[in-house]
């Protein structure tokens, strides 16, 4: 499955979920799905090219991850996310589990699909809570992410938490002007920011000596 869309993120500090939910409700957004916990294991090249590209502001960037929801490790998805500025093309493939160990399963999937030609390595895991919303005209999907926690793959018993609450809007490129008009007319305090949970988690984990 492929999904082409624009993503716009607004990052606030800790414990801002109520404030963001109120903003959405005041603009007649409704819950789209039940909230759930998202778990992602990120891969990178041996030289951390994905992180370097993000930090250096390269317009064409890439992420590779395995993702599952809540505690359902029977349904895992492999995602390749290509991003140019705010435009995202995401390819999603469901994994049919064979092996008991998750990392062994992921390596097996990479090998079967001949994806490991760049010698990707498993770097870290990020988990967070997400709520899902939809605008009254169905043009804009929104999510609110809270309780972001990260661990390294080599030592998953040491967890760090990111003090961020993230509001993200997703919509097809044709609705970009409509979104600009919406956000400019409804909010004078929300500003679009570049934000990557993977990069922020890596920096925090590295600063805490968790990769040693």
């Amino acid at each position: 499955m492929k999904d082409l869309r624009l993503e716009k993120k607004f990052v606030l500090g800790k414990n801002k979920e109520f404030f963001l939910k109120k903003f959405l409700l005041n603009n007649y957004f409704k819950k789209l799905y039940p909230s759930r916990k998202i778990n992602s294991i990120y891969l990178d090249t041996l030289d951390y090219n994905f992180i370097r590209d993000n930090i250096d502001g390269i317009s064409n960037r890439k992420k590779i991850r395995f993702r599952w929801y809540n505690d359902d490790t029977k349904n895992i998805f492999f995602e390749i996310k290509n991003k140019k500025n705010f435009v995202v093309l995401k390819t999603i493939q469901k994994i049919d589990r064979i092996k008991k160990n998750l990392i062994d399963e992921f390596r097996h999937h990479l090998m079967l699909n001949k994806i490991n030609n760049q010698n990707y390595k498993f770097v870290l895991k990020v988990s967070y809570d997400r709520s899902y919303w939809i605008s009254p005209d169905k043009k804009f999907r929104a999510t609110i992410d809270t309780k972001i926690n990260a661990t390294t793959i080599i030592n998953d018993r040491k967890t760090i938490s990111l003090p961020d609450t993230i509001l993200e809007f997703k919509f097809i490129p044709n609705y970009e002007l409509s979104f600009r008009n919406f956000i400019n007319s409804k909010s004078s305090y929300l500003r679009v920011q570049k934000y990557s949970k993977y990069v922020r988690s890596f920096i925090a984990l590295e600063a805490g000596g968790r990769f040693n």
Side-chain angles (χ1 to χ4, degrees):
M1 181 177 71
K2 292 187 176 181
D3 180 20
L4 179 66
R5 66 195 187 195
L6 285 173
E7 294 181 349
K8 299 295 178 95
K9 297 179 182 179
F10 302 85
V11 184
L12 282 75
K14 196 173 183 180
N15 300 323
K16 296 296 184 180
E17 183 178 11
F18 175 79
F19 171 78
L20 292 177
K21 283 184 177 180
K22 185 177 179 181
F23 171 77
L24 293 178
L25 289 169
N26 285 344
N27 288 286
Y28 306 103
F29 278 68
K30 294 183 178 181
K31 291 291 290 289
L32 181 59
Y33 307 117
S35 299
R36 57 185 176 178
K37 181 179 180 181
I38 294 180
N39 307 281
S40 298
I41 288 183
Y42 287 89
L43 288 75
D44 210 322
T45 66
L46 296 178
D47 295 326
Y48 296 107
N49 289 331
F50 298 161
I51 288 177
R52 293 176 186 273
D53 288 349
N54 186 287
I55 293 174
D56 292 343
I58 303 299
S59 60
N60 292 301
R61 303 189 297 278
K62 186 175 186 177
K63 284 181 185 173
I64 296 180
R65 66 193 177 204
F66 291 91
R67 172 167 286 186
W68 65 98
Y69 301 94
N70 297 322
D71 297 320
D72 184 12
T73 55
K74 293 182 179 179
N75 292 287
I76 297 179
F77 302 88
F78 176 66
E79 300 182 355
I80 299 178
K81 189 174 183 180
N82 291 286
K83 189 170 187 177
K84 184 174 183 180
N85 298 320
F86 293 105
V87 180
V88 173
L89 176 62
K90 188 162 71 169
T91 304
I92 304 173
Q93 181 181 5
K94 189 177 183 298
I95 295 177
D96 295 321
R97 284 204 64 180
I98 299 173
K99 300 179 181 295
K100 291 183 179 180
N101 181 277
L102 280 183
I103 299 300
D104 288 343
E105 181 65 69
F106 299 159
R107 289 196 177 104
H108 178 71
H109 179 80
L110 294 174
M111 181 185 68
L112 285 179
N113 290 273
K114 300 179 181 180
I115 297 172
N116 207 25
N117 59 332
Q118 295 190 42
N119 296 316
Y120 294 129
K121 62 180 177 181
F122 296 86
V123 181
L124 56 83
K125 175 186 176 185
V126 177
S127 299
Y128 52 93
D129 292 344
R130 168 168 284 183
S131 60
Y132 300 82
W133 304 78
I134 189 78
S135 63
D137 57 10
K138 306 295 192 293
K139 288 183 177 180
F140 313 125
R141 289 179 291 145
T143 56
I144 299 175
D145 296 340
T146 60
K147 300 178 183 177
I148 306 169
N149 296 308
T151 62
T152 63
I153 298 301
I154 59 176
N155 190 348
D156 61 3
R157 290 177 294 179
K158 293 184 177 180
T159 303
I160 59 102
S161 297
L162 300 183
D164 303 315
T165 306
I166 303 155
L167 170 64
E168 181 174 359
F169 292 94
K170 304 174 180 72
F171 49 92
I172 63 174
N174 289 349
Y175 294 153
E176 183 172 17
L177 181 58
S178 295
F179 177 77
R180 287 182 184 176
N181 292 335
F182 161 73
I183 206 68
N184 289 336
S185 64
K186 300 298 183 180
S187 173
S188 60
Y189 45 82
L190 291 176
R191 293 289 181 268
V192 174
Q193 297 183 43
K194 185 178 79 170
Y195 186 95
S196 166
K197 297 183 187 71
Y198 170 50
V199 174
R200 294 289 182 96
S201 297
F202 181 90
I203 292 172
L205 287 164
E206 187 179 45
R210 303 298 169 86
F211 286 101
N212 299 329

